């Protein structure tokens, strides 16, 4: 038994007290069946907080940006078009990711005046058909309307259930049994 084992047997690892690196255990503690004990870890230092794999890859690639682009352009002149296209795609995905589409501000004629969800959906579809709104923006509005419709239906059902439960509780209190 080493000093490291004593440290973990005292439960320091279970209370979030990380041991200094000099007494970090050589092997994680396991039970008789070989399973890790609660609080034991195979990676005591853990993953660095706030650093994603994509960020690390970008940092590694950045110093070689020009060389990668030059090489990718050379590969486009290669006899193997698949290799050329693949190399160029990989480089461009890492060096110049596709920009996200900005949220489009739209105005759907007749949407505010529509009384039912069906009429609201019809207004959006008419706006897309007329070219007033892009198909993508129309789809997003229709999805938003669907989420709103579901929330509205849930609200109505909750009120109806509460009313039925109150009515049922009143009958029980009145002694109205069969």
């Amino acid at each position: 038994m080493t000093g490291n084992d004593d440290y973990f047997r005292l439960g320091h690892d279970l209370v979030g007290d990380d041991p200094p690196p000099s007494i970090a255990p050589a092997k994680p503690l396991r039970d008789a069946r070989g399973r890790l004990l609660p609080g034991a870890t195979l990676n005591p230092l853990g993953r660095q907080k706030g650093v994603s794999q994509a960020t690390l890859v970008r940092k590694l690639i950045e110093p070689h940006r020009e060389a990668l682009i030059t090489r990718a352009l050379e590969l486009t002149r290669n006899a193997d078009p698949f290799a050329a296209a693949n190399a160029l795609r990989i480089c461009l995905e890492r060096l110049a990711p596709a920009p996200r589409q900005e949220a489009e501000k739209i105005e759907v004629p007749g949407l505010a005046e529509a009384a039912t969800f069906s009429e609201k959906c019809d207004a959006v579809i008419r706006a897309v058909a007329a070219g007033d709104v892009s198909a993508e923006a129309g789809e997003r509005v229709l999805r938003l309307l669907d989420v709103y419709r579901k929330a509205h239906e849930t609200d109505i059902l909750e009120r109806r259930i509460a009313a039925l439960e109150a009515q049922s509780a009143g009958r029980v209190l009145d002694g109205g049994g069969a």
Side-chain angles (χ1 to χ4, degrees), residues 30-37:
R30 296 179 182 266
D31 64 10
R33 295 173 61 186
R35 295 178 299 188
L36 286 174
L37 294 174

Side-chain angles (χ1 to χ4, degrees), residues 51-100:
V51 179
S52 68
Q53 290 293 333
T55 303
L56 291 174
V57 169
R58 271 188 237 108
K59 283 182 181 179
L60 289 172
I61 288 177
E62 185 60 37
H64 311 286
R65 175 181 278 230
E66 287 185 37
L68 285 170
I69 292 173
T70 303
R71 179 69 179 137
L73 292 174
E74 288 172 9
L75 285 174
T76 58
R77 297 182 207 104
N78 193 348
D80 184 6
F82 178 75
N86 203 24
L88 189 59
R89 179 188 56 80
I90 290 170
C91 290
L92 290 178
E93 283 176 355
R94 294 292 178 194
L95 298 173
R100 290 186 179 182

Side-chain angles (χ1 to χ4, degrees), residues 55-176:
T55 303
L56 291 174
V57 169
R58 271 188 237 108
K59 283 182 181 179
L60 289 172
I61 288 177
E62 185 60 37
H64 311 286
R65 175 181 278 230
E66 287 185 37
L68 285 170
I69 292 173
T70 303
R71 179 69 179 137
L73 292 174
E74 288 172 9
L75 285 174
T76 58
R77 297 182 207 104
N78 193 348
D80 184 6
F82 178 75
N86 203 24
L88 189 59
R89 179 188 56 80
I90 290 170
C91 290
L92 290 178
E93 283 176 355
R94 294 292 178 194
L95 298 173
R100 290 186 179 182
Q101 183 180 2
E102 298 247 350
E104 173 183 351
K105 292 186 180 187
I106 60 169
E107 188 171 326
V108 178
L111 183 64
E113 296 81 26
T116 66
F117 288 108
S118 176
E119 290 174 2
K120 291 179 185 303
C121 291
D122 288 341
V124 172
I125 292 170
R126 278 194 304 274
V128 170
D132 297 334
V133 176
S134 70
E136 293 81 14
E139 180 186 16
R140 285 193 302 270
V141 171
L142 288 173
R143 275 192 263 135
L144 181 65
L145 285 171
D146 187 47
V147 169
Y148 179 73
R149 177 192 57 79
K150 288 176 184 175
H152 186 68
E153 286 176 356
T154 302
D155 190 41
I156 290 171
L157 289 173
E158 285 176 350
R159 279 190 252 140
R160 289 176 67 187
I161 290 170
L164 287 171
E165 287 174 346
Q167 187 181 29
S168 175
R171 285 187 190 152
V172 172
L173 292 176
D174 292 340

